Amino acid sequence: MTLEAEPAVAAELFGDRIEVARAFTANLVDQGEERGLIGPLELPRLWTRHVLNSAIAAPLFHGSAADVGSGAGLPGLVLAIARPDVAWTLIEPMERRVAWLSEQVDELGLDNVTVLRSRAEDVERAQFDVVTARAVSALRTLLPFTAPLVRDGGELALLKGKNAELEIDAAAKQLKKYRVSDVRVEVLGEGVLTETTRVVRATVRG
């Protein structure tokens, strides 16, 4: 299975961080499949579907941010590379994934990242400015794990698929329970990426 060639837009999105992004992507190619981080079918679309799909959301973050269920580091590590000015916490319960994330943080010199081996529900609440997750679960099941981590007035920025609007409708009860408001879907990367990114953005009130 051959790796997808780096799209020209990658250098634009990462700017002076492109070499770090290339190193991370190369490491994912070398070790991702054997360590159970990505499937073999993902290599031909690794840049387009995963790395750039995550990086396009970088402008949405500020201050302190958390990625729930970081897994291979998508989007958390990618966003931490693109936004060295943001303090990132990568929350992941599985030991082998935590080992991978910690290795990458050390190897890539990411001094703005903390890797936390924990379930989201066991993490101290209301401490982050922005909380994200990507392809973890449906919005209604994701909200109990993400919304409580956001400080009063902070934001959720959840990377979702094509059914994002339907997920919002199905999560009405949970949105009310966790005091999540101003919920909308933003489509990022139109005219820039071959596959756009849908982000469910919302404000959380404590």
Side-chain angles (χ1 to χ4, degrees):
M1 200 65 77
T2 54
L3 170 66
E4 173 185 24
E6 179 188 317
V9 71
E12 294 175 36
L13 290 182
F14 284 101
D16 61 4
R17 304 286 288 168
I18 185 60
E19 291 300 337
V20 186
R22 286 170 180 156
F24 169 66
T25 304
N27 290 342
L28 204 47
V29 170
D30 290 341
Q31 304 175 52
E33 187 184 348
E34 68 181 67
R35 294 177 70 162
L37 298 165
I38 54 171
L41 298 179
E42 301 309 314
L43 291 180
R45 54 189 185 183
L46 191 58
W47 276 105
T48 305
R49 186 162 198 191
H50 298 288
V51 178
L52 300 185
N53 178 273
S54 299
I56 195 75
L60 305 183
F61 297 87
H62 59 90
S64 62
D67 175 27
V68 173
S70 285
L74 304 162
L77 278 177
V78 172
L79 290 169
I81 292 168
R83 291 297 304 275
D85 58 317
V86 174
W88 287 90
T89 299
L90 309 186
I91 301 167
E92 170 58 52
M94 196 175 287
E95 186 175 10
R96 63 182 173 82
R97 291 175 177 167
V98 167
W100 158 261
L101 293 168
S102 300
E103 287 166 23
Q104 295 308 301
V105 167
D106 290 343
E107 185 178 327
L108 301 172
L110 301 177
D111 58 6
N112 60 323
V113 179
T114 299
V115 179
L116 191 59
R117 185 185 178 192
S118 178
R119 298 184 310 162
E121 56 265 45
D122 297 328
V123 176
E124 180 189 338
R125 304 194 158 207
Q127 62 168 314
F128 300 105
D129 294 311
V130 192
V131 172
T132 190
R134 178 177 184 261
V136 173
S137 60
L139 184 61
R140 61 188 170 79
T141 53
L142 189 57
L143 282 170
F145 302 114
T146 53
L149 301 180
V150 182
R151 65 166 179 76
D152 183 23
E155 282 191 290
L156 289 171
L158 307 171
L159 279 62
K160 306 297 294 182
K162 291 182 171 60
N163 294 322
E165 286 89 353
L166 293 174
E167 289 191 31
I168 291 173
D169 293 341
K173 188 170 151 187
Q174 290 79 11
L175 290 168
K176 185 175 180 181
K177 178 179 179 179
Y178 291 99
R179 303 187 66 178
V180 179
S181 59
D182 191 22
V183 188
R184 70 266 189 206
V185 177
E186 293 186 10
V187 181
L188 309 178
E190 286 184 317
V192 178
L193 302 181
T194 54
E195 290 191 38
T196 56
T197 296
R198 280 174 172 76
V199 182
V200 172
R201 298 187 70 186
T203 301
V204 180
R205 293 294 172 196

